[in-house]
Amino acid sequence: MTISSLKVVDKLVITFLVDNSIEWFTKLPPGFTHELPQHLQQQHPPPPCSTVTGVPVIDLNDFCCGAHGFSALIETHISGEEPHLTLFDTGPDSQSLVRNVKAMQVPVHKVSRIITSHWHADHTGGLLSFLSHSRALNNPKCIVDCHPDRPISRGMARGPLYDKVFGALRSDPTFEEIEAAGGIVEKHAECHTVAAGAVWVSGEIPRISPFEVGMPGAMRWVAEDGGKWISDELIMDERYAVIDVAGKGLVIFSACSHAGIVNVVQDALAKFSRPVYMIIGGLHLAPPDFADRIEPTVDFLSRQMVPAPTYILPMHCSGFQSKVKLEAAFGDGCVPAGVGHKIEVLGDRALESRLFPATVVV
């Protein structure tokens, strides 16, 4: 697979189906839509009207719920071709994604591929329930695009020594469980394109940033010596995704950024030499152990990248402090995105010839 096999899309539509945050009222940029108006104006059928007042009833049982995890529906359009729906991650549990898919009236039968960013339960926990829901709706088998190196278990240890695991995450679905639920397992350690060439999935993320040095306390259970915990700070199975929008540039999905968002962005810039239009997902800057990474991360994204991203959407594990710093640096370009939000990015082929031919990092 060559980098040139990634096609430029004419329209990208993103719907956030799982995130830690629910945000109904904050001002959003053009092209961004809150969940509430989607229910009132865009859903079919619309909410029923009250027999007493005659106005639509906002029933919160029919709205999205928040959860500690991430999932985004990526809809890509290329003129003259069929659109493709790709699900990027599936949230942390068996309930939130299915509930939110129903709330947003996602056409599940059109989702042809699920990309798992990495093997952590807050990103794979809804995989089996989504596949079961999809199968119940008579959806043909869905491809599950995952890294081949699935851990037996992953856990967390506290500092300062990080020598004792205090808890393990729920196990990720096995390949056999995925197939039993109706998924077609595709294992990819290398970069590749999906959605008929409209979405690029990375391979291993190079670790070159001097301050993004892994995740202290991350542990992995291995079978050697009768079974034991070993350090797994780099989480090398993590992958990100890229879409290239005509006249705009790259939209980068980094679900958790264990590799470091600077490493992610630098890898994308090196491979595509295109401006970055939007950065989406968890930046993993919330833990106290990561506080000293916030300033250099914000500095890189806002000052060292030339041009800087038009929008950055710090979600999931980004943390309050990083959002405050990014808002100070980007202003309205730092978007308070959350579950239920929809984004429509319209491409412009006329601008393609005038788009920056390369992005320079100084």
mmCIF file with all atom_site columns, all heavy atoms in Angstrom, residues 85 187 226 241 250 321:
data_model
loop_
_atom_site.group_PDB
_atom_site.id
_atom_site.type_symbol
_atom_site.label_atom_id
_atom_site.label_alt_id
_atom_site.label_comp_id
_atom_site.label_asym_id
_atom_site.label_entity_id
_atom_site.label_seq_id
_atom_site.pdbx_PDB_ins_code
_atom_site.Cartn_x
_atom_site.Cartn_y
_atom_site.Cartn_z
_atom_site.occupancy
_atom_site.B_iso_or_equiv
_atom_site.pdbx_formal_charge
_atom_site.auth_seq_id
_atom_site.auth_comp_id
_atom_site.auth_asym_id
_atom_site.auth_atom_id
_atom_site.pdbx_PDB_model_num
ATOM 1  N N   . LEU A 1 85  ? -19.591 4.101   5.276  1.00 0.00 ? 85  LEU A N   1
ATOM 2  C CA  . LEU A 1 85  ? -19.726 4.337   6.703  1.00 0.00 ? 85  LEU A CA  1
ATOM 3  C C   . LEU A 1 85  ? -18.760 3.421   7.436  1.00 0.00 ? 85  LEU A C   1
ATOM 4  O O   . LEU A 1 85  ? -18.816 2.188   7.293  1.00 0.00 ? 85  LEU A O   1
ATOM 5  C CB  . LEU A 1 85  ? -21.153 4.090   7.183  1.00 0.00 ? 85  LEU A CB  1
ATOM 6  C CG  . LEU A 1 85  ? -22.105 5.300   7.153  1.00 0.00 ? 85  LEU A CG  1
ATOM 7  C CD1 . LEU A 1 85  ? -22.335 5.756   5.710  1.00 0.00 ? 85  LEU A CD1 1
ATOM 8  C CD2 . LEU A 1 85  ? -23.422 4.971   7.828  1.00 0.00 ? 85  LEU A CD2 1
ATOM 9  N N   . LYS A 1 187 ? -6.729  -8.612  10.396 1.00 0.00 ? 187 LYS A N   1
ATOM 10 C CA  . LYS A 1 187 ? -5.623  -8.198  11.249 1.00 0.00 ? 187 LYS A CA  1
ATOM 11 C C   . LYS A 1 187 ? -4.618  -7.388  10.430 1.00 0.00 ? 187 LYS A C   1
ATOM 12 O O   . LYS A 1 187 ? -4.154  -7.844  9.384  1.00 0.00 ? 187 LYS A O   1
ATOM 13 C CB  . LYS A 1 187 ? -4.939  -9.433  11.846 1.00 0.00 ? 187 LYS A CB  1
ATOM 14 C CG  . LYS A 1 187 ? -5.873  -10.310 12.666 1.00 0.00 ? 187 LYS A CG  1
ATOM 15 C CD  . LYS A 1 187 ? -5.168  -11.579 13.136 1.00 0.00 ? 187 LYS A CD  1
ATOM 16 C CE  . LYS A 1 187 ? -6.127  -12.523 13.844 1.00 0.00 ? 187 LYS A CE  1
ATOM 17 N NZ  . LYS A 1 187 ? -5.448  -13.769 14.275 1.00 0.00 ? 187 LYS A NZ  1
ATOM 18 N N   . GLY A 1 226 ? 4.562   -19.078 33.642 1.00 0.00 ? 226 GLY A N   1
ATOM 19 C CA  . GLY A 1 226 ? 3.338   -19.334 34.372 1.00 0.00 ? 226 GLY A CA  1
ATOM 20 C C   . GLY A 1 226 ? 2.399   -18.151 34.458 1.00 0.00 ? 226 GLY A C   1
ATOM 21 O O   . GLY A 1 226 ? 1.359   -18.222 35.128 1.00 0.00 ? 226 GLY A O   1
ATOM 22 N N   . ALA A 1 241 ? -6.274  7.168   12.410 1.00 0.00 ? 241 ALA A N   1
ATOM 23 C CA  . ALA A 1 241 ? -6.884  7.173   11.077 1.00 0.00 ? 241 ALA A CA  1
ATOM 24 C C   . ALA A 1 241 ? -6.849  8.577   10.497 1.00 0.00 ? 241 ALA A C   1
ATOM 25 O O   . ALA A 1 241 ? -6.870  9.574   11.228 1.00 0.00 ? 241 ALA A O   1
ATOM 26 C CB  . ALA A 1 241 ? -8.317  6.655   11.133 1.00 0.00 ? 241 ALA A CB  1
ATOM 27 N N   . LEU A 1 250 ? -6.003  17.351  6.039  1.00 0.00 ? 250 LEU A N   1
ATOM 28 C CA  . LEU A 1 250 ? -6.146  16.100  6.780  1.00 0.00 ? 250 LEU A CA  1
ATOM 29 C C   . LEU A 1 250 ? -7.035  16.258  8.007  1.00 0.00 ? 250 LEU A C   1
ATOM 30 O O   . LEU A 1 250 ? -6.934  17.235  8.746  1.00 0.00 ? 250 LEU A O   1
ATOM 31 C CB  . LEU A 1 250 ? -4.773  15.606  7.235  1.00 0.00 ? 250 LEU A CB  1
ATOM 32 C CG  . LEU A 1 250 ? -3.698  15.416  6.159  1.00 0.00 ? 250 LEU A CG  1
ATOM 33 C CD1 . LEU A 1 250 ? -2.404  14.928  6.812  1.00 0.00 ? 250 LEU A CD1 1
ATOM 34 C CD2 . LEU A 1 250 ? -4.156  14.464  5.060  1.00 0.00 ? 250 LEU A CD2 1
ATOM 35 N N   . GLN A 1 321 ? -7.525  20.387  32.109 1.00 0.00 ? 321 GLN A N   1
ATOM 36 C CA  . GLN A 1 321 ? -6.426  21.345  32.003 1.00 0.00 ? 321 GLN A CA  1
ATOM 37 C C   . GLN A 1 321 ? -5.943  21.503  30.565 1.00 0.00 ? 321 GLN A C   1
ATOM 38 O O   . GLN A 1 321 ? -5.638  22.617  30.117 1.00 0.00 ? 321 GLN A O   1
ATOM 39 C CB  . GLN A 1 321 ? -5.270  20.927  32.915 1.00 0.00 ? 321 GLN A CB  1
ATOM 40 C CG  . GLN A 1 321 ? -5.581  21.017  34.402 1.00 0.00 ? 321 GLN A CG  1
ATOM 41 C CD  . GLN A 1 321 ? -5.897  22.445  34.819 1.00 0.00 ? 321 GLN A CD  1
ATOM 42 O OE1 . GLN A 1 321 ? -5.367  23.406  34.267 1.00 0.00 ? 321 GLN A OE1 1
ATOM 43 N NE2 . GLN A 1 321 ? -6.765  22.592  35.820 1.00 0.00 ? 321 GLN A NE2 1
#
